[in-house]
Amino acid sequence: MSAILSARAWRPTLFLRLYSQKAERTFDKILVANRGEIACRVMRTARRMGIRTVAVYSDADAEAVFVREADEAVRVGAAPSTQSYLNMDAILDAVRASGAQAVHPGYGFLSENAAFVKQLAAAGVAFIGPGEYALAAMGDKIQSKIIAREAGVSTIPGFDGVVRDAAHAVEIADEIGYPVMLKASAGGGGKGMRVAHSAAQVREGFQLASDEAASSFGDRRLLVEKFIEEPRHIEIQVLADGLGNVLWLPERECSIQRRNQKVVEEAPSTHLDAATRRRMGEQAVALARSVGYNSAGTVEFLVDKHRNFYFLEMNTRLQVEHPITELITGLDLVEEMIRSAAGLPLTTTNQADVRMDGWAIEARVYAEDPEKFLPSIGTLARYREPVSGPGEKVRCDSGVAEGSEISVYYDPMISKLSAHGPTRNDAIAALSGALDRYLITGVTHNIPLLRDVVASPAFAAGRTSTSFLAEHYPHGFKGHRLDERSAPQLAAATSALHYIRNARDNPSAAASGLADYALLLPQLLDDGSVAKLEARVNLQLLSATLNLSGTNDFQATVSSGQQQKTVVNFSVKWNVDQPFADIVYQKNDSNNESILFLAPLPLGMRVQFRGTKFDIDVLSPDQRELLRLMKEKEKLDTSRLVLAPMPGTIISVAVSVGDVVAEGAQVAVVEAMKMQNVLRAPRPGVVKAVHVVPGATVSGDDILVELSDD
């Protein structure tokens, strides 16, 4: 039986009274059939509208933030999503038990499940989303492509039917021409998608994509279509009510992706002109009208360099990246969805009244390794979200807090960090600063990659495509690359932080206001090895006295290994007991930044600089000379081992003892956070031992397969 827990006592609010004055009644209580940040996001608008909320939660989420934010909470099952958030019967039981009048599905899970909508309607419960027909028609990528073509929408060449098996997929791909995209007919979010450049890749990708589709959406069907190379991924948000009003909103560009999942989005796009924007918007509206669409939806397009655009799919739900549309239009998309479901008109019904104010950029913050994009699980040991600075508008949509668990069972997203400004440059600056002041420890995260992307000259110039990450990081992202400008700045700032901490612990050490240090700055190279960049720093305190909780002025003379000297004049605003330090460079105001002090180390400190974590040795000259005499520790040889890259479940094992394998051959498939990851042989050899079987649960760095030379 489901247990209903009261999250907090309900009290009428000012927002309820204000909403009641409009005589526009929506719902008294809605159930949010989702988890994490999107559940919190929906609840925030519902609370503003005076609507009570009901959360549903799995055993893994019993203590989650969204459960605490709801007015009521209902347990719906065990941790795996198939037993909880995809358990339709349990969700429907929760609706009945709570007395909710409507259900908001968020995104993912049951948000695009027509059978769920049908059962809600039979129970007399409103679905805060499109009707059953529109959802079924547009939620099926095969059917939606046919409908889009009939509605006059430009479409990508491809096969419009159901792909029977891998052999059929190869036959279709050979006819269309390579490369092709294999993707799930149901769902989205990059799950069940593979690009194939050959028949062999089609066969391998078909199995992986269909397995992911079945795991994520309960539907193994795939479609095959031509893959447009070097495209931009640009989408149009539509809003519709049940009274015949349909609007299109300014576009979002979502070209920067990994594994077909969006990483950085912005609104509007640098690529579109007003005429193309209007044509795309009008086609999106025509498609929505053709299926009697109501609620919020997104029509996605691929756009080539000549601004030719092709229908990709329609997402019949609220998009992950909706905050940037809200920032430039001033609309609350969740409110519009609730109004539409309640039979009310949109707050704006005239296309000419839709505004486009400034620029907004969103970065998706994930608990994952930014080099290989492998998820990371664990506890958020320290967690502080950035806030808006003077003249900035920063928004952080999250569903976590310090102490929250990042679970193996769900998507590893921590938050969506968005920034808005009058111009694109203002938005980039605001987002860069916010990323610099985002503190997350306890799990690996992708802030280093996000920070590097938004700081890149190509992004600043608007030169983006869906191959952006592959082109700019062909060997994988290795962290911020220190150069002749950033290396002296990092060395100077770290020396100052070390000096201040040392003065707190040993006041006499700072009496002279002078210090000499030898710093070893780590730099990850393309081959995975770590180089140590040495910098000698002569530091001088320029302030009359040292302030342990305020601003101090310094001058640092930094010498590199080539005897090049750089003089850095800067101030440090830092409370020594806090992680955030503001650095102001006196000769370059445009490069002021924040540095995070993360932890002391035996010979230095760990800091976060321009998004990247650096473990820096801060040594006295004598310590540096002694360190030269020490023998380096030998590294463990793992070249003959296939290790689990993260905790997960073994889906398949492709080798047996005695098999001869080539370098790069598939060895096993491990599933974590609803994504399947192919593990390959790191070198040619003979399989010496296999330590796992399908269905086994593994931890990160577990040895799965051992190889020998013969």
Side-chain angles (χ1 to χ4, degrees):
M1 294 180 61
S2 298
I4 301 181
L5 307 176
S6 176
R8 59 171 176 269
W10 170 250
R11 294 184 299 274
T13 66
L14 174 62
F15 295 120
L16 175 58
R17 292 193 294 273
L18 289 175
Y19 222 82
S20 298
Q21 288 172 6
K22 297 180 181 180
E24 293 181 317
R25 185 176 181 82
T26 56
F27 305 104
D28 297 321
K29 182 190 291 188
I30 65 173
L31 182 143
V32 183
N34 217 297
R35 63 178 299 279
E37 61 85 15
I38 189 58
C40 293
R41 165 69 190 91
V42 172
M43 291 172 189
R44 185 166 64 247
T45 289
R47 189 159 50 246
R48 180 177 63 78
M49 296 174 69
I51 302 171
R52 289 172 62 88
T53 57
V54 181
V56 292
Y57 67 92
S58 71
D59 290 342
D61 282 336
E63 302 299 324
V65 171
F66 76 94
V67 176
R68 299 197 299 268
E69 288 199 0
D71 298 294
E72 302 171 21
V74 183
R75 177 188 177 275
V76 289
S81 57
T82 54
Q83 300 176 40
S84 50
Y85 301 107
L86 286 171
N87 186 339
M88 198 181 306
D89 290 338
I91 300 292
L92 291 168
D93 285 345
V95 173
R96 286 188 285 266
S98 65
Q101 300 161 315
V103 172
H104 196 299
Y107 51 75
F109 297 130
L110 297 173
S111 64
E112 296 175 287
N113 190 308
F116 180 56
V117 178
K118 185 175 182 178
Q119 292 199 43
L120 287 175
V125 176
F127 179 72
I128 303 176
E132 179 190 351
Y133 170 73
L135 191 150
M138 290 292 97
D140 186 316
K141 293 182 178 62
I142 296 172
Q143 182 67 15
S144 68
K145 188 174 178 181
I146 297 171
I147 294 173
R149 187 179 295 118
E150 292 175 348
V153 180
S154 176
T155 59
I156 301 173
F159 180 70
D160 293 335
V162 176
V163 183
R164 297 188 301 271
D165 51 31
H168 188 208
V170 171
E171 180 184 331
I172 296 168
D174 288 343
E175 182 178 342
I176 295 173
Y178 295 94
V180 297
M181 170 72 81
L182 306 171
K183 64 181 181 181
S185 176
K191 306 294 194 304
M193 299 178 70
R194 291 293 188 280
V195 175
H197 294 265
S198 66
Q201 290 183 4
V202 169
R203 282 188 285 269
E204 180 183 68
F206 184 89
Q207 185 63 48
L208 293 169
S210 59
D211 286 349
E212 280 183 7
S215 174
S216 298
F217 316 117
D219 186 340
R220 302 185 67 88
R221 293 178 304 151
L222 300 181
L223 60 83
V224 180
E225 63 186 19
K226 181 70 176 176
F227 178 67
I228 309 285
E229 297 188 86
E230 298 185 14
R232 290 177 181 249
H233 186 137
I234 300 176
E235 60 192 30
I236 298 291
Q237 176 77 57
V238 294
L239 288 176
D241 57 33
L243 306 175
N245 300 302
V246 186
L247 303 175
W248 60 268
L249 307 184
E251 77 281 358
R252 299 183 290 254
E253 176 158 356
C254 314
S255 296
I256 299 179
Q257 304 177 4
R258 94 288 189 257
R259 289 187 169 185
N260 300 307
Q261 287 186 304
K262 302 159 188 173
V263 177
V264 177
E265 301 105 336
E266 61 180 307
S269 167
T270 60
H271 188 53
L272 297 192
D273 55 22
T276 307
R277 176 179 298 117
R278 184 180 63 256
R279 289 198 303 273
M280 292 175 70
E282 289 172 349
Q283 288 195 18
V285 167
L287 180 59
R289 288 191 182 280
S290 73
V291 292
Y293 199 88
N294 68 298
S295 194
T298 296
V299 181
E300 301 193 355
F301 295 92
L302 292 181
V303 185
D304 68 20
K305 62 182 179 181
H306 302 295
R307 299 197 183 100
N308 298 310
F309 55 88
Y310 307 92
F311 172 74
L312 185 61
E313 63 187 17
M314 184 175 188
N315 287 311
T316 54
R317 52 171 168 80
L318 190 66
Q319 288 284 84
V320 175
E321 60 272 19
H322 75 274
I324 54 176
T325 295
E326 294 183 329
L327 286 170
I328 67 168
T329 64
L331 297 171
D332 183 330
L333 300 191
V334 174
E335 178 183 354
E336 303 295 347
M337 295 178 75
I338 293 173
R339 290 175 62 88
S340 177
L344 297 176
L346 302 172
T347 58
T348 299
T349 58
N350 185 353
Q351 183 67 54
D353 292 335
V354 175
R355 64 184 179 127
M356 187 172 74
D357 178 23
W359 216 283
I361 307 174
E362 175 184 282
R364 299 193 189 188
V365 180
Y366 285 99
E368 68 178 15
D369 167 17
E371 179 184 359
K372 299 179 180 178
F373 307 125
L374 297 175
S376 172
I377 66 170
T379 302
L380 298 180
R382 300 170 75 193
Y383 183 79
R384 295 192 195 177
E385 296 176 352
V387 297
S388 299
E392 296 178 343
K393 185 183 291 184
V394 172
R395 169 175 167 176
C396 191
D397 288 50
S398 72
V400 297
E402 205 162 273
S404 291
E405 292 286 332
I406 304 300
S407 167
V408 69
Y409 296 104
Y410 311 117
D411 187 274
M413 181 186 288
I414 296 174
S415 73
K416 302 174 306 194
L417 182 64
S418 305
H420 177 267
T423 67
R424 187 169 185 267
N425 286 341
D426 292 329
I428 290 174
L431 183 59
S432 297
L435 289 167
D436 282 346
R437 298 188 66 82
Y438 203 156
L439 175 64
I440 304 172
T441 68
V443 296
T444 303
H445 55 78
N446 69 332
I447 285 179
L449 172 63
L450 299 173
R451 178 62 168 82
D452 211 65
V453 167
V454 299
S456 71
F459 183 78
R463 296 194 302 271
T464 62
S465 74
T466 55
S467 59
F468 183 95
L469 295 182
E471 291 175 353
H472 287 80
Y473 309 106
H475 303 287
F477 176 69
K478 307 297 182 182
H480 172 70
R481 288 300 179 95
L482 296 171
D483 55 30
E484 60 184 14
R485 183 176 180 184
S486 63
Q489 290 176 335
L490 175 58
T494 303
S495 296
L497 298 187
H498 181 83
Y499 178 87
I500 295 169
R501 279 180 53 83
N502 194 35
R504 181 195 63 178
D505 300 334
N506 183 14
S508 62
S512 67
L514 300 171
D516 288 314
Y517 300 117
L519 276 71
L520 300 180
L521 311 175
Q523 183 70 76
L524 190 62
L525 303 179
D526 287 342
D527 62 2
S529 62
V530 179
K532 293 283 189 176
L533 309 180
E534 184 169 352
R536 294 294 182 112
V537 180
N538 177 269
L539 186 72
Q540 181 180 0
L541 174 67
L542 301 181
S543 301
T545 58
L546 186 67
N547 189 338
L548 297 179
S549 59
T551 301
N552 295 284
D553 297 325
F554 291 95
Q555 182 181 84
T557 302
V558 183
S559 303
S560 69
Q562 292 76 32
Q563 301 302 313
Q564 296 175 329
K565 290 189 176 182
T566 302
V567 177
V568 183
N569 290 284
F570 62 106
S571 63
V572 178
K573 183 180 181 181
W574 184 38
N575 183 329
V576 72
D577 296 317
Q578 298 296 322
F580 305 101
D582 293 324
I583 312 297
V584 177
Y585 301 106
Q586 295 178 9
K587 291 186 178 181
N588 190 359
D589 292 339
S590 64
N591 203 28
N592 301 337
E593 58 196 340
S594 296
I595 186 170
L596 297 186
F597 171 78
L598 298 178
L601 299 175
L603 293 177
M605 62 178 61
R606 176 174 298 154
V607 300
Q608 183 172 307
F609 175 75
R610 298 187 186 174
T612 295
K613 180 180 68 177
F614 290 90
D615 286 356
I616 301 175
D617 294 332
V618 185
L619 311 170
S620 68
D622 290 342
Q623 287 176 315
R624 178 64 186 109
E625 294 308 311
L626 290 173
L627 189 62
R628 294 182 195 279
L629 304 176
M630 296 180 65
K631 184 179 179 181
E632 288 191 17
K633 183 179 179 181
E634 292 187 8
K635 296 181 179 179
L636 177 67
D637 181 13
T638 61
S639 63
R640 294 178 174 83
L641 304 177
V642 178
L643 306 177
M646 81 291 277
T649 301
I650 299 296
I651 299 300
S652 64
V653 179
V655 297
S656 301
V657 174
D659 286 354
V660 178
V661 296
E663 181 179 349
Q666 180 174 324
V667 172
V669 176
V670 61
E671 183 178 80
M673 296 178 175
K674 300 190 291 184
M675 293 292 286
Q676 293 193 2
N677 302 275
V678 177
L679 306 184
R680 302 185 183 278
R683 57 179 294 168
V686 178
V687 177
K688 177 181 177 182
V690 179
H691 298 286
V692 292
V693 296
T697 300
V698 296
S699 300
D701 293 329
D702 280 0
I703 298 175
L704 309 183
V705 175
E706 296 183 52
L707 304 177
S708 63
D709 292 330
D710 50 29

